[in-house]
Amino acid sequence: MSEMKLIFKTPKEIHEFVNTVSKYEFDIDVKRGRVVVDAKSLLGIMHLGLNSEMELQMHSDDCEELQREIAKYGA
C-alpha cells in the first residue's frame, strides 16, 4: 500500500481526479480525519470538501504510474 497527501482547490480538479483513478483496477481510498471514501466516488470526495488536506491510500504495490498522473494534486 502506498500513500500520499492531496488537496483539491476546485470541483473540476475532483472530477478530473476521479476520472483518472477510475482507470485503475486496484482499490483506492481518500481519508480526511476519520472519514474514508472510495477515491472513485465523485460525491464521496466532494463530501470531504475543498482546500483541505486529505490522505490518498492506494492498495497496490504497482502504483507509480498513478502517482505520476495525480502528482498535480499533491499537498
Side-chain angles (χ1 to χ4, degrees):
M1 182 171 83
S2 296
E3 297 181 353
M4 68 184 286
K5 302 286 185 189
L6 304 172
I7 290 183
F8 298 108
K9 294 176 177 63
T10 67
K12 183 179 179 192
E13 285 185 350
I14 295 174
H15 186 261
E16 292 170 352
F17 171 81
V18 170
N19 285 340
T20 301
V21 299
S22 293
K23 297 185 289 186
Y24 293 87
E25 295 292 322
F26 52 87
D27 290 332
I28 308 167
D29 295 319
V30 177
K31 178 181 176 185
R32 181 170 155 233
R34 296 183 327 206
V35 180
V36 179
V37 299
D38 185 343
K40 299 173 186 177
S41 168
L42 181 63
L43 291 176
I45 297 177
M46 292 246 187
H47 172 72
L48 297 178
L50 297 172
N51 299 312
S52 299
E53 187 172 291
M54 303 172 197
E55 184 175 316
L56 179 72
Q57 299 174 330
M58 297 162 279
H59 303 278
S60 172
D61 293 327
D62 184 28
C63 54
E64 290 83 20
E65 182 180 337
L66 172 60
Q67 288 177 318
R68 282 192 300 275
E69 286 191 63
I70 61 173
K72 61 185 173 184
Y73 309 113

